[in-house]
Amino acid sequence: MTISRAQSRRYPDVAPGPYAMMSVRDTGAGMDPATAARIFEPFFTTKEVGKGTGLGLSTVHGIVKQSGGHIEVESAVGRGTTFQIFLPGAPENQTAGSHVRPVGVAPAGTETILVVEDEDQVRLLATRVLRHHGYTVLEGGDPREALRVAKDHVEPIQLLLTDVVMPGMGGPQLARRLAEIHPETKVLYMSGYTDDAIVRHGVLAREVAFLQKPFAPHELAVQVRRLLDSE
């Protein structure tokens, strides 16, 4: 489909041009306007504690926006929910044989990365992205498990990707403990908390590598490669 200039007024963050549109609809309980207005917020969930992370839709939202697209939701209580996703398409004058260099392709690597995240969905996303880009990935569901994995791994661990705030032991403390075993390891912190919370955990500083959650797969791959290549 092609979004005209007139139609783009309905979607302020979408430029006129060709788009692929995908619509997903369910016949579930639906949402009231207050709930629907918050569904893309990181960590917002209507599920019981321990049943959801609140990161699924916020991650989708981030990926769509980073791709130059748009996502919107229509819902009503008792009538289900419909999501519409618009992703930019190729220009109409581009021929099938045209060679177009992919935009924003993240460089790959072969280093070993230890991923530590207590939210299963976030850890799964990170490990899948990194393995897809060629890295050897070790993982821990909490800092203590990660330290056991690190002690058993005799080869170098080039990077630690860790959440900042975790039960029992935070990311900075884990990084210090890991440095005693693998002093070669660089650290990339990630968190969905606000800057104030990160400052209180002693992380937010210019010399510290930090990734804000939710993040798109491409953003993660680029940040990791950039840190590994730094001196």
Side-chain angles (χ1 to χ4, degrees):
M1 65 177 293
T2 299
I3 295 181
S4 66
R5 291 188 179 277
Q7 291 173 318
S8 68
R9 297 192 185 103
R10 180 182 174 186
Y11 314 111
D13 54 348
V14 174
Y19 285 83
M21 191 275 281
M22 177 174 64
S23 180
V24 180
R25 181 177 184 274
D26 67 40
T27 56
M31 297 176 284
D32 58 60
T35 301
R38 299 188 60 193
I39 59 172
F40 297 123
E41 294 179 12
F43 300 105
F44 175 76
T45 179
T46 58
K47 296 180 180 179
E48 300 176 4
V49 176
K51 298 294 184 179
T53 64
L55 287 172
L57 286 175
S58 63
T59 300
V60 170
H61 183 268
I63 294 172
V64 171
K65 291 296 184 182
Q66 190 176 37
S67 302
H70 175 78
I71 182 170
E72 65 177 16
V73 58
E74 295 181 2
S75 186
V77 175
R79 296 174 56 187
T81 301
T82 300
F83 289 92
Q84 286 189 320
I85 299 174
F86 299 84
L87 295 174
E92 293 182 359
N93 60 357
Q94 180 179 314
T95 62
S98 299
H99 176 71
V100 179
R101 182 181 178 183
V103 177
V105 176
T110 58
E111 292 91 342
T112 297
I113 301 174
L114 174 59
V115 178
V116 188
E117 167 64 64
D118 60 323
E119 292 285 353
D120 293 341
Q121 293 181 20
V122 179
R123 189 175 68 256
L124 179 61
L125 170 64
T127 56
R128 282 182 174 177
V129 169
L130 295 173
R131 284 172 178 149
H132 175 74
H133 284 80
Y135 298 102
T136 297
V137 181
L138 310 173
E139 56 182 301
D142 60 65
R144 299 191 184 282
E145 180 184 1
L147 288 172
R148 290 195 296 270
V149 170
K151 288 178 181 177
D152 292 339
H153 189 78
V154 297
E155 299 296 326
I157 297 175
Q158 282 79 19
L159 180 69
L160 167 66
L161 173 63
T162 179
D163 194 6
V164 174
V165 182
M166 293 177 287
M169 184 188 305
Q173 184 181 357
L174 168 62
R176 290 191 293 270
R177 294 278 299 274
L178 180 62
E180 299 172 1
I181 311 169
H182 290 276
E184 75 283 356
T185 305
K186 296 179 179 180
V187 183
L188 174 58
Y189 293 103
M190 56 182 172
S191 181
Y193 285 94
T194 62
D195 288 354
D196 289 342
I198 302 306
V199 167
R200 287 197 296 272
H201 284 83
V203 169
L204 200 60
R206 289 184 179 180
E207 68 276 10
V208 173
F210 180 76
L211 181 64
Q212 181 72 47
K213 293 190 294 188
F215 49 79
H218 175 267
E219 184 182 5
L220 170 62
V222 169
Q223 283 267 44
V224 164
R225 189 67 260 162
R226 182 180 297 144
L227 181 56
L228 287 170
D229 290 340
S230 66
E231 296 183 358

